[in-house]
Amino acid sequence: AKLLTLEDAYAATRHDSPQKRLIAERIVEAEIATSRSWAMLLPQWSANYAFTHVAPAPPSVEIPPFPDFRNDDVRKACDRDTFDFQRCATAVIESIQVAADAEPTRFDFARADTSVVTTRITWNLLNGRAIPLIGNAYDTLEMEQIRAEAKMRELLLTVARTFHAASATKDAIDVAWRALERVRRQNDTIQSLVDAGDRPRTLGESSALSVQQSELDLERAKNAFQRG
């Protein structure tokens, strides 16, 4: 199996971690709130319908077209990355002028039993609450983006610390294992000399204790790695 590298851990954190998904959701919520804040500058339309029997028949009803606030000029002038109130307001007013010059939609109810539709469009372009609300929405979005970047850096730093701590513990296991093998070889040699009577028995006992101590050091290193 391929060993996990620090770059792999970074990639997993950036693209497939619960923290990353939570950060992305907060930014999406802030973007939605920014889009909703523009609703205060949109016109409000209300309509009423009534069925009546009148004579003579009522005149036709004309409804002016609504301004297109999603055209390319408005989108470019009111883009959040290059937002400028004067350019945005100019583009919005031009859209209103285009709608005002367009041909209205006509409804002809000329019949004995007539249906009467009354409509009203209310548009408060100079809404004193709209501009601060839009500005606050953009500030919130920017704050969430900055917070997301800082949180991601914090996560990557935590990943790096954990990865290096695990690597250091793994190296300690390797060192302890090599030390144990060396002590065991030395112990085999010493025990052979003790059995032959060339070394005192106390030296053999001391060597055996060294093996046990090395085995204990190895177990401690393994436990530290598992806890990490």
Side-chain angles (χ1 to χ4, degrees):
K2 180 183 176 182
L3 294 178
L4 180 68
T5 64
L6 182 57
E7 288 73 17
D8 294 335
Y10 281 159
T13 302
R14 289 191 181 100
H15 303 295
D16 195 30
S17 65
Q19 295 86 350
K20 170 65 177 180
R21 291 192 291 270
L22 179 60
I23 291 172
E25 289 176 1
R26 292 178 65 91
I27 292 179
V28 170
E29 291 176 357
E31 291 175 343
I32 293 175
T34 302
S35 300
R36 288 177 176 173
S37 65
W38 283 95
M40 296 190 68
L41 289 179
L42 297 177
Q44 297 181 357
W45 176 69
S46 60
N48 294 312
Y49 170 81
F51 176 81
T52 57
H53 179 72
V54 295
S60 60
V61 176
E62 296 183 352
I63 299 179
F66 291 105
D68 182 12
F69 296 116
R70 296 186 176 274
N71 60 59
D72 293 339
D73 293 337
V74 174
R75 291 170 66 90
K76 292 178 180 179
C78 301
D79 185 80
R80 67 167 180 261
D81 295 331
T82 59
F83 178 74
D84 180 80
F85 175 74
Q86 185 174 358
R87 291 195 307 111
C88 182
T90 301
V92 170
I93 293 174
E94 290 177 353
S95 297
I96 298 171
Q97 186 62 43
V98 170
D101 296 337
E103 193 69 20
T105 302
R106 300 178 182 274
F107 293 91
D108 190 1
F109 303 103
R111 58 180 184 269
D113 294 333
T114 59
S115 297
V116 178
V117 177
T118 58
T119 64
R120 183 176 65 178
I121 298 177
T122 303
W123 190 20
N124 187 4
L125 182 61
L126 301 179
N127 191 335
R129 296 175 53 196
I131 301 303
L133 183 63
I134 294 173
N136 291 337
Y138 278 110
D139 289 342
T140 301
L141 176 59
E142 182 179 3
M143 181 183 65
E144 290 296 340
Q145 292 172 339
I146 294 174
R147 181 182 298 171
E149 183 178 356
K151 184 63 177 179
M152 182 54 61
R153 290 179 179 176
E154 180 182 347
L155 290 173
L156 294 178
L157 179 59
T158 302
V159 169
R161 288 174 175 172
T162 303
F163 184 87
H164 288 301
S167 298
T169 307
K170 182 65 169 57
D171 292 341
I173 293 176
D174 295 338
V175 170
W177 180 256
R178 290 195 297 271
L180 176 59
E181 290 181 334
R182 184 176 62 254
V183 172
R184 282 175 174 172
R185 290 194 298 269
Q186 293 174 352
N187 180 64
D188 292 341
T189 302
I190 292 174
Q191 295 301 333
S192 298
L193 294 174
V194 171
D195 294 339
D198 294 335
R199 292 293 187 275
R201 188 168 299 277
T202 55
L203 181 60
E205 295 173 352
S206 177
S207 178
L209 289 175
S210 296
V211 173
Q212 294 177 2
Q213 181 62 44
S214 297
E215 292 174 344
L216 180 60
D217 293 339
L218 178 60
E219 289 300 321
R220 288 174 177 171
K222 290 181 178 180
N223 292 334
F225 182 77
Q226 292 175 354
R227 289 195 301 270

